[in-house]
Amino acid sequence: MVESIQPPTRRNILRAGGFAAALGVGGSLITACSSEKTPDADVSAGSQKGKKVVFVVHDKNPFFAPVQKGFENFAAVMGWDAQFTGPPAFDVQATVDLQANALNSKPDGVIFTRADDSAFDANIERAKADGVPVVLSNVASAGFEKFQIGFVGQKFVEAGEVCGQQIAKYAKERSGKTSGVIIAGNFAPGNSALEERIAGTKLGVEAYNKENGTSFTVETLVTSTDEAKAVSLIDARYRRSPVVGWAMSAFDHQFVSTWAKSKDLVGKFGVGGFDLIGPVLDGIADGSIDFSLGQNPYAQGWVAASMIAMEIDPKFPGCVVDTGAEIVDKSNVAAVQKREAAFV
């Protein structure tokens, strides 16, 4: 996966190494990319000055701050008219409407999230029919390959498997038990990324059980992005029956941290999840969270934008880029906090 990507200069972007130059790193991220040659073209940054590119996400929660930063940094190098938008909370219809509005504005390129297997497809097809370059970022959902467009984001089932292995390990260490319930939190049911992470988490726990002679089980709990609601739901579930671990499918393990500290329960169970927003990293630092899995959201903005630039001129097709599942725990949290401070 890519570590902290730094924007290249205006002079050398897209000239000194194609996609690798746009990434700012070697091409190891690319998992599927066409090698087809295209005619020579002027691919200097200045050739795209004034181009309008709109990025529409499905939920403008704190996770997307580095995505937006990566997108806007690339846009600044290119001289684009860049717009980044999305609903304040996960809302499929609101996202569909914002995507349609973006296309109505006659953009030169669009970047969408596809957090559902079908709801956003009409807008993707419309963009393609209108000749507007379109790239998916952050989440693509099952079947996106049919569009033959680029995607920059995490492989969610595989990342969930990493989470499952990690939470089972910590559940055993913290509780001292070899069986018990691990809760998989989901604050946005229907979001394919979270559903796939939970499916992967179950696979990871099963694999850990097989390898280590444990018998942990996984139960899904619908939570919330609202702290008070989430804490109440977490507390109610814990009171109902014992829990040996919490494996949240997004950044809602910050709420497990808040609750555990208020109840003097830190260290009684494993706690983990996804994403590297400030409260999550603070929880890892103070020991109320054991781990979190990053997915390089800066790349999901910067690299997705670079794909749009190449589709605009010289019309290279997009690629599939896996942004990984970086494990952040007590051993490396200080360095990651320093890196992520730019996006707070």
Side-chain angles (χ1 to χ4, degrees):
M1 66 166 289
V2 172
E3 292 299 328
S4 182
I5 297 177
Q6 298 300 319
T9 65
R10 179 181 294 270
R11 178 176 302 168
N12 65 21
I13 187 169
L14 300 179
R15 296 208 308 201
F19 192 43
L23 288 175
V25 295
S28 60
L29 273 181
I30 304 172
T31 59
C33 191
S34 170
S35 60
E36 180 182 351
K37 298 288 187 179
T38 63
D40 291 338
D42 177 7
V43 292
S44 63
S47 69
Q48 295 194 15
K49 185 175 181 180
K51 297 290 187 184
K52 180 192 289 185
V53 179
V54 184
F55 196 139
V56 183
V57 299
H58 56 270
D59 181 349
K60 281 195 73 176
N61 62 55
F63 163 81
F64 281 103
V67 179
Q68 182 172 354
K69 189 71 170 178
F71 170 63
E72 291 177 347
N73 282 352
F74 189 94
V77 173
M78 299 303 289
W80 286 347
D81 170 9
Q83 301 172 22
F84 188 95
T85 187
F90 181 63
D91 187 321
V92 170
Q93 188 57 52
T95 306
V96 168
D97 293 342
L98 287 168
Q99 290 176 344
N101 291 341
L103 294 173
N104 290 341
S105 72
K106 305 298 183 183
D108 296 286
V110 292
I111 303 172
F112 292 158
T113 56
R114 183 175 179 259
D116 179 275
D117 292 349
S118 60
F120 308 112
D121 290 3
N123 283 327
I124 296 170
E125 292 284 14
R126 177 184 166 191
K128 288 173 64 66
D130 291 347
V132 177
V134 55
V135 167
L136 299 178
S137 178
N138 179 251
V139 55
S141 296
F144 85 94
E145 297 87 355
K146 65 187 176 186
F147 297 112
Q148 296 185 313
I149 58 178
F151 167 56
V152 184
Q154 188 175 70
K155 292 184 177 180
F156 295 112
V157 174
E158 290 87 338
E161 292 184 65
V162 175
C163 182
Q165 290 271 358
Q166 290 290 308
I167 194 58
K169 178 186 75 172
Y170 282 109
K172 183 179 179 182
E173 289 180 5
R174 302 300 185 210
S175 72
K177 298 178 180 178
T178 57
S179 64
V181 176
I182 293 170
I183 298 298
N186 186 347
F187 65 47
N191 182 321
S192 64
L194 307 192
E195 302 285 359
E196 289 179 19
R197 283 174 175 169
I198 291 172
T201 296
K202 292 177 180 178
L203 292 175
V205 170
E206 289 172 5
Y208 184 91
N209 286 339
K210 186 177 294 186
E211 294 165 4
N212 296 277
T214 54
S215 55
F216 298 119
T217 59
V218 179
E219 173 189 318
T220 302
L221 174 70
V222 175
T223 61
S224 172
T225 55
D226 178 84
E227 182 173 52
K229 291 180 181 177
V231 167
S232 177
L233 290 164
I234 289 164
D235 185 65
R237 175 58 191 85
Y238 188 76
R239 289 175 180 274
R240 189 161 72 247
S241 61
V243 173
V244 297
W246 304 84
M248 316 309 268
S249 60
F251 54 78
D252 37 339
H253 45 325
Q254 66 172 302
F255 305 136
V256 177
S257 166
T258 298
W259 164 77
K261 287 186 283 191
S262 73
K263 300 294 185 179
D264 196 27
L265 292 171
V266 172
K268 303 295 185 182
F269 32 65
V271 180
F274 289 82
D275 302 330
L276 306 178
I277 65 172
V280 167
L281 294 174
D282 291 343
I284 296 172
D286 70 24
S288 58
I289 293 175
D290 294 305
F291 71 92
S292 195
L293 301 181
Q295 56 175 309
N296 199 336
Y298 187 89
Q300 293 175 13
W302 175 273
V303 178
S306 76
M307 284 191 196
I308 290 293
M310 289 187 293
E311 289 204 40
I312 291 173
D313 187 3
K315 303 188 185 305
F316 278 104
C319 305
V320 175
V321 176
D322 176 17
T323 56
E326 176 188 22
I327 299 174
V328 178
D329 55 24
K330 197 76 168 180
S331 69
N332 61 351
V333 68
V336 174
Q337 282 181 307
K338 183 177 180 179
R339 182 188 75 197
E340 299 293 316
F343 311 122
V344 174

Short mmCIF file of all heavy atoms in Angstrom, two decimals, residues 43-90:
data_model
loop_
_atom_site.label_atom_id
_atom_site.label_comp_id
_atom_site.label_asym_id
_atom_site.label_seq_id
_atom_site.Cartn_x
_atom_site.Cartn_y
_atom_site.Cartn_z
N VAL A 43 0.48 16.46 -22.08
CA VAL A 43 -0.04 16.07 -20.77
C VAL A 43 0.55 16.91 -19.66
O VAL A 43 0.59 16.50 -18.51
CB VAL A 43 0.20 14.57 -20.50
CG1 VAL A 43 -0.63 13.74 -21.44
CG2 VAL A 43 1.68 14.23 -20.64
N SER A 44 1.05 18.08 -19.98
CA SER A 44 1.52 18.97 -18.93
C SER A 44 0.34 19.47 -18.12
O SER A 44 -0.80 19.49 -18.58
CB SER A 44 2.27 20.16 -19.55
OG SER A 44 1.40 20.92 -20.34
N ALA A 45 0.62 19.87 -16.88
CA ALA A 45 -0.45 20.32 -15.99
C ALA A 45 -1.23 21.47 -16.61
O ALA A 45 -2.45 21.54 -16.52
CB ALA A 45 0.14 20.73 -14.65
N GLY A 46 -0.52 22.41 -17.25
CA GLY A 46 -1.18 23.59 -17.78
C GLY A 46 -2.22 23.30 -18.84
O GLY A 46 -3.14 24.10 -19.04
N SER A 47 -2.11 22.14 -19.50
CA SER A 47 -3.06 21.82 -20.57
C SER A 47 -4.46 21.56 -20.04
O SER A 47 -5.41 21.53 -20.81
CB SER A 47 -2.58 20.61 -21.36
OG SER A 47 -2.65 19.43 -20.57
N GLN A 48 -4.60 21.35 -18.74
CA GLN A 48 -5.92 21.07 -18.16
C GLN A 48 -6.42 22.21 -17.27
O GLN A 48 -7.40 22.05 -16.54
CB GLN A 48 -5.88 19.76 -17.39
CG GLN A 48 -5.63 18.56 -18.29
CD GLN A 48 -5.90 17.24 -17.63
OE1 GLN A 48 -6.54 17.16 -16.57
NE2 GLN A 48 -5.44 16.15 -18.23
N LYS A 49 -5.79 23.33 -17.33
CA LYS A 49 -6.21 24.46 -16.50
C LYS A 49 -7.66 24.83 -16.81
O LYS A 49 -8.05 24.95 -17.98
CB LYS A 49 -5.31 25.67 -16.76
CG LYS A 49 -5.61 26.85 -15.83
CD LYS A 49 -4.61 27.98 -16.04
CE LYS A 49 -4.91 29.14 -15.09
NZ LYS A 49 -3.94 30.26 -15.28
N GLY A 50 -8.47 24.97 -15.75
CA GLY A 50 -9.86 25.35 -15.90
C GLY A 50 -10.82 24.20 -16.10
O GLY A 50 -12.05 24.42 -16.12
N LYS A 51 -10.32 22.99 -16.25
CA LYS A 51 -11.21 21.84 -16.39
C LYS A 51 -12.02 21.66 -15.09
O LYS A 51 -11.49 21.81 -13.99
CB LYS A 51 -10.42 20.56 -16.67
CG LYS A 51 -9.64 20.56 -17.98
CD LYS A 51 -10.56 20.49 -19.18
CE LYS A 51 -9.75 20.30 -20.45
NZ LYS A 51 -10.62 20.32 -21.66
N LYS A 52 -13.29 21.32 -15.25
CA LYS A 52 -14.15 21.11 -14.08
C LYS A 52 -14.24 19.63 -13.75
O LYS A 52 -14.63 18.82 -14.59
CB LYS A 52 -15.56 21.64 -14.33
CG LYS A 52 -16.50 21.44 -13.11
CD LYS A 52 -17.94 21.69 -13.46
CE LYS A 52 -18.22 23.15 -13.70
NZ LYS A 52 -19.68 23.39 -13.92
N VAL A 53 -13.86 19.28 -12.51
CA VAL A 53 -13.95 17.89 -12.05
C VAL A 53 -14.70 17.89 -10.72
O VAL A 53 -14.36 18.65 -9.80
CB VAL A 53 -12.56 17.25 -11.88
CG1 VAL A 53 -12.69 15.82 -11.38
CG2 VAL A 53 -11.80 17.28 -13.21
N VAL A 54 -15.73 17.06 -10.63
CA VAL A 54 -16.58 17.00 -9.44
C VAL A 54 -16.44 15.63 -8.78
O VAL A 54 -16.54 14.60 -9.44
CB VAL A 54 -18.05 17.27 -9.79
CG1 VAL A 54 -18.90 17.32 -8.51
CG2 VAL A 54 -18.20 18.57 -10.58
N PHE A 55 -16.22 15.65 -7.48
CA PHE A 55 -16.07 14.42 -6.67
C PHE A 55 -17.28 14.35 -5.74
O PHE A 55 -17.50 15.24 -4.92
CB PHE A 55 -14.78 14.53 -5.86
CG PHE A 55 -14.26 13.24 -5.28
CD1 PHE A 55 -12.89 12.97 -5.31
CD2 PHE A 55 -15.09 12.32 -4.66
CE1 PHE A 55 -12.37 11.81 -4.76
CE2 PHE A 55 -14.59 11.16 -4.10
CZ PHE A 55 -13.22 10.90 -4.16
N VAL A 56 -18.08 13.30 -5.86
CA VAL A 56 -19.28 13.13 -5.03
C VAL A 56 -19.11 11.89 -4.16
O VAL A 56 -18.94 10.78 -4.67
CB VAL A 56 -20.55 12.97 -5.90
CG1 VAL A 56 -21.79 12.88 -4.99
CG2 VAL A 56 -20.70 14.14 -6.87
N VAL A 57 -19.16 12.07 -2.84
CA VAL A 57 -19.08 10.95 -1.90
C VAL A 57 -20.45 10.68 -1.30
O VAL A 57 -21.37 11.50 -1.42
CB VAL A 57 -18.05 11.23 -0.79
CG1 VAL A 57 -16.67 11.42 -1.38
CG2 VAL A 57 -18.44 12.44 0.06
N HIS A 58 -20.60 9.56 -0.65
CA HIS A 58 -21.89 9.15 -0.12
C HIS A 58 -22.14 9.61 1.32
O HIS A 58 -23.24 9.44 1.84
CB HIS A 58 -22.02 7.62 -0.17
CG HIS A 58 -20.92 6.91 0.55
ND1 HIS A 58 -19.75 6.54 -0.08
CD2 HIS A 58 -20.79 6.51 1.84
CE1 HIS A 58 -18.95 5.96 0.79
NE2 HIS A 58 -19.56 5.93 1.97
N ASP A 59 -21.12 10.21 1.95
CA ASP A 59 -21.25 10.56 3.37
C ASP A 59 -20.05 11.43 3.76
O ASP A 59 -18.93 10.93 3.88
CB ASP A 59 -21.26 9.27 4.21
CG ASP A 59 -21.42 9.52 5.71
OD1 ASP A 59 -21.32 10.68 6.14
OD2 ASP A 59 -21.64 8.52 6.43
N LYS A 60 -20.27 12.72 3.97
CA LYS A 60 -19.14 13.60 4.28
C LYS A 60 -18.80 13.53 5.77
O LYS A 60 -18.81 14.53 6.49
CB LYS A 60 -19.43 15.04 3.85
CG LYS A 60 -19.23 15.28 2.36
CD LYS A 60 -19.16 16.75 2.03
CE LYS A 60 -17.85 17.35 2.47
NZ LYS A 60 -17.71 18.77 2.06
N ASN A 61 -18.48 12.32 6.24
CA ASN A 61 -18.05 12.16 7.62
C ASN A 61 -16.55 12.46 7.72
O ASN A 61 -15.89 12.67 6.70
CB ASN A 61 -18.40 10.75 8.13
CG ASN A 61 -17.69 9.66 7.35
OD1 ASN A 61 -16.46 9.65 7.23
ND2 ASN A 61 -18.45 8.71 6.80
N PRO A 62 -15.98 12.48 8.94
CA PRO A 62 -14.57 12.88 9.09
C PRO A 62 -13.58 12.03 8.31
O PRO A 62 -12.48 12.50 7.99
CB PRO A 62 -14.34 12.74 10.61
CG PRO A 62 -15.69 12.94 11.21
CD PRO A 62 -16.64 12.30 10.25
N PHE A 63 -13.92 10.79 8.00
CA PHE A 63 -13.00 9.95 7.24
C PHE A 63 -12.59 10.61 5.93
O PHE A 63 -11.46 10.45 5.46
CB PHE A 63 -13.65 8.59 6.94
CG PHE A 63 -12.94 7.84 5.84
CD1 PHE A 63 -11.77 7.13 6.10
CD2 PHE A 63 -13.39 7.90 4.53
CE1 PHE A 63 -11.09 6.49 5.09
CE2 PHE A 63 -12.71 7.25 3.51
CZ PHE A 63 -11.56 6.54 3.79
N PHE A 64 -13.52 11.32 5.30
CA PHE A 64 -13.27 11.83 3.95
C PHE A 64 -12.42 13.09 3.90
O PHE A 64 -12.11 13.58 2.81
CB PHE A 64 -14.60 12.06 3.22
CG PHE A 64 -15.21 10.79 2.69
CD1 PHE A 64 -16.27 10.19 3.35
CD2 PHE A 64 -14.69 10.19 1.56
CE1 PHE A 64 -16.83 9.01 2.87
CE2 PHE A 64 -15.23 9.01 1.07
CZ PHE A 64 -16.30 8.42 1.72
N ALA A 65 -11.98 13.61 5.05
CA ALA A 65 -11.13 14.81 5.03
C ALA A 65 -9.84 14.58 4.25
O ALA A 65 -9.49 15.41 3.38
CB ALA A 65 -10.83 15.27 6.46
N PRO A 66 -9.09 13.50 4.47
CA PRO A 66 -7.89 13.30 3.66
C PRO A 66 -8.18 12.95 2.20
O PRO A 66 -7.37 13.24 1.32
CB PRO A 66 -7.15 12.16 4.37
CG PRO A 66 -8.16 11.50 5.22
CD PRO A 66 -9.15 12.54 5.59
N VAL A 67 -9.34 12.31 1.93
CA VAL A 67 -9.73 12.06 0.55
C VAL A 67 -9.88 13.41 -0.18
O VAL A 67 -9.35 13.62 -1.28
CB VAL A 67 -11.05 11.27 0.46
CG1 VAL A 67 -11.45 11.06 -1.00
CG2 VAL A 67 -10.94 9.93 1.18
N GLN A 68 -10.61 14.31 0.46
CA GLN A 68 -10.83 15.64 -0.12
C GLN A 68 -9.51 16.38 -0.29
O GLN A 68 -9.28 17.03 -1.32
CB GLN A 68 -11.77 16.45 0.76
CG GLN A 68 -12.09 17.83 0.21
CD GLN A 68 -13.18 18.54 0.99
OE1 GLN A 68 -13.80 17.98 1.89
NE2 GLN A 68 -13.43 19.80 0.64
N LYS A 69 -8.62 16.26 0.69
CA LYS A 69 -7.33 16.94 0.62
C LYS A 69 -6.50 16.42 -0.55
O LYS A 69 -5.89 17.19 -1.30
CB LYS A 69 -6.56 16.74 1.92
CG LYS A 69 -5.30 17.59 2.04
CD LYS A 69 -5.63 19.05 2.24
CE LYS A 69 -4.39 19.85 2.61
NZ LYS A 69 -4.69 21.29 2.77
N GLY A 70 -6.47 15.10 -0.72
CA GLY A 70 -5.71 14.53 -1.83
C GLY A 70 -6.26 14.98 -3.17
O GLY A 70 -5.50 15.32 -4.09
N PHE A 71 -7.58 14.98 -3.29
CA PHE A 71 -8.23 15.43 -4.51
C PHE A 71 -7.92 16.89 -4.80
O PHE A 71 -7.53 17.26 -5.92
CB PHE A 71 -9.75 15.22 -4.38
CG PHE A 71 -10.57 15.86 -5.46
CD1 PHE A 71 -10.45 15.46 -6.78
CD2 PHE A 71 -11.49 16.85 -5.14
CE1 PHE A 71 -11.22 16.04 -7.78
CE2 PHE A 71 -12.27 17.43 -6.12
CZ PHE A 71 -12.14 17.03 -7.45
N GLU A 72 -8.07 17.74 -3.79
CA GLU A 72 -7.86 19.17 -3.99
C GLU A 72 -6.39 19.51 -4.24
O GLU A 72 -6.09 20.42 -5.02
CB GLU A 72 -8.40 19.94 -2.79
CG GLU A 72 -9.94 19.87 -2.71
CD GLU A 72 -10.51 20.56 -1.48
OE1 GLU A 72 -9.71 20.87 -0.55
OE2 GLU A 72 -11.74 20.78 -1.44
N ASN A 73 -5.47 18.77 -3.62
CA ASN A 73 -4.05 19.00 -3.89
C ASN A 73 -3.71 18.69 -5.35
O ASN A 73 -2.98 19.43 -6.01
CB ASN A 73 -3.18 18.15 -2.96
CG ASN A 73 -3.07 18.73 -1.57
OD1 ASN A 73 -3.52 19.84 -1.31
ND2 ASN A 73 -2.48 17.98 -0.65
N PHE A 74 -4.23 17.56 -5.85
CA PHE A 74 -3.98 17.22 -7.24
C PHE A 74 -4.62 18.25 -8.16
O PHE A 74 -4.01 18.69 -9.16
CB PHE A 74 -4.50 15.82 -7.57
CG PHE A 74 -4.09 15.34 -8.92
CD1 PHE A 74 -2.95 14.56 -9.08
CD2 PHE A 74 -4.82 15.68 -10.05
CE1 PHE A 74 -2.55 14.14 -10.35
CE2 PHE A 74 -4.42 15.26 -11.31
CZ PHE A 74 -3.28 14.49 -11.45
N ALA A 75 -5.84 18.64 -7.84
CA ALA A 75 -6.55 19.62 -8.66
C ALA A 75 -5.80 20.94 -8.73
O ALA A 75 -5.77 21.60 -9.78
CB ALA A 75 -7.95 19.85 -8.11
N ALA A 76 -5.19 21.34 -7.62
CA ALA A 76 -4.43 22.59 -7.59
C ALA A 76 -3.23 22.53 -8.54
O ALA A 76 -2.90 23.51 -9.22
CB ALA A 76 -3.98 22.90 -6.17
N VAL A 77 -2.56 21.38 -8.57
CA VAL A 77 -1.43 21.22 -9.48
C VAL A 77 -1.89 21.34 -10.94
O VAL A 77 -1.21 21.95 -11.77
CB VAL A 77 -0.74 19.86 -9.24
CG1 VAL A 77 0.32 19.60 -10.30
CG2 VAL A 77 -0.12 19.82 -7.85
N MET A 78 -3.06 20.78 -11.23
CA MET A 78 -3.55 20.78 -12.60
C MET A 78 -4.24 22.08 -12.99
O MET A 78 -4.47 22.33 -14.17
CB MET A 78 -4.54 19.62 -12.80
CG MET A 78 -3.94 18.24 -12.57
SD MET A 78 -2.50 17.89 -13.61
CE MET A 78 -3.26 17.72 -15.21
N GLY A 79 -4.62 22.87 -11.99
CA GLY A 79 -5.35 24.10 -12.29
C GLY A 79 -6.83 23.87 -12.56
O GLY A 79 -7.49 24.67 -13.23
N TRP A 80 -7.38 22.78 -12.02
CA TRP A 80 -8.78 22.45 -12.22
C TRP A 80 -9.72 23.36 -11.42
O TRP A 80 -9.35 23.91 -10.38
CB TRP A 80 -9.07 21.03 -11.76
CG TRP A 80 -8.57 19.93 -12.63
CD1 TRP A 80 -8.09 20.02 -13.90
CD2 TRP A 80 -8.50 18.53 -12.27
NE1 TRP A 80 -7.74 18.77 -14.37
CE2 TRP A 80 -7.98 17.84 -13.39
CE3 TRP A 80 -8.83 17.82 -11.13
CZ2 TRP A 80 -7.78 16.47 -13.38
CZ3 TRP A 80 -8.63 16.45 -11.11
CH2 TRP A 80 -8.12 15.78 -12.23
N ASP A 81 -10.95 23.44 -11.88
CA ASP A 81 -12.07 23.92 -11.07
C ASP A 81 -12.61 22.68 -10.38
O ASP A 81 -13.32 21.88 -10.98
CB ASP A 81 -13.13 24.55 -11.97
CG ASP A 81 -14.44 24.86 -11.24
OD1 ASP A 81 -14.48 24.75 -10.00
OD2 ASP A 81 -15.45 25.16 -11.92
N ALA A 82 -12.22 22.47 -9.13
CA ALA A 82 -12.52 21.23 -8.42
C ALA A 82 -13.64 21.43 -7.40
O ALA A 82 -13.63 22.41 -6.65
CB ALA A 82 -11.28 20.70 -7.72
N GLN A 83 -14.56 20.50 -7.36
CA GLN A 83 -15.66 20.55 -6.41
C GLN A 83 -15.77 19.20 -5.70
O GLN A 83 -15.74 18.16 -6.36
CB GLN A 83 -16.97 20.89 -7.12
CG GLN A 83 -16.95 22.22 -7.86
CD GLN A 83 -18.17 22.44 -8.72
OE1 GLN A 83 -19.22 21.85 -8.50
NE2 GLN A 83 -18.05 23.31 -9.72
N PHE A 84 -15.93 19.24 -4.37
CA PHE A 84 -16.03 18.01 -3.57
C PHE A 84 -17.31 18.12 -2.76
O PHE A 84 -17.50 19.07 -1.98
CB PHE A 84 -14.82 17.89 -2.64
CG PHE A 84 -14.72 16.58 -1.91
CD1 PHE A 84 -13.95 15.54 -2.41
CD2 PHE A 84 -15.39 16.38 -0.70
CE1 PHE A 84 -13.84 14.33 -1.74
CE2 PHE A 84 -15.29 15.18 -0.01
CZ PHE A 84 -14.52 14.15 -0.54
N THR A 85 -18.21 17.16 -2.91
CA THR A 85 -19.51 17.28 -2.25
C THR A 85 -20.04 15.91 -1.84
O THR A 85 -19.55 14.87 -2.28
CB THR A 85 -20.53 17.97 -3.19
OG1 THR A 85 -21.74 18.23 -2.48
CG2 THR A 85 -20.83 17.11 -4.40
N GLY A 86 -21.07 15.93 -0.99
CA GLY A 86 -21.71 14.71 -0.52
C GLY A 86 -22.70 15.06 0.57
O GLY A 86 -22.64 16.14 1.16
N PRO A 87 -23.62 14.16 0.89
CA PRO A 87 -24.58 14.42 1.99
C PRO A 87 -23.88 14.37 3.34
O PRO A 87 -22.82 13.75 3.47
CB PRO A 87 -25.58 13.27 1.84
CG PRO A 87 -24.80 12.17 1.22
CD PRO A 87 -23.82 12.83 0.29
N PRO A 88 -24.46 15.02 4.36
CA PRO A 88 -23.82 15.04 5.68
C PRO A 88 -23.81 13.69 6.39
O PRO A 88 -23.02 13.48 7.30
CB PRO A 88 -24.65 16.07 6.46
CG PRO A 88 -25.98 16.07 5.77
CD PRO A 88 -25.68 15.83 4.32
N ALA A 89 -24.65 12.77 5.97
CA ALA A 89 -24.68 11.40 6.51
C ALA A 89 -25.05 10.45 5.38
O ALA A 89 -25.54 10.89 4.32
CB ALA A 89 -25.68 11.29 7.65
N PHE A 90 -24.79 9.16 5.56
CA PHE A 90 -25.05 8.18 4.50
C PHE A 90 -26.50 8.25 4.05
O PHE A 90 -27.42 8.06 4.83
CB PHE A 90 -24.72 6.78 5.00
CG PHE A 90 -24.93 5.71 3.96
CD1 PHE A 90 -24.19 5.70 2.80
CD2 PHE A 90 -25.87 4.71 4.16
CE1 PHE A 90 -24.37 4.71 1.83
CE2 PHE A 90 -26.07 3.71 3.21
CZ PHE A 90 -25.31 3.71 2.05
#
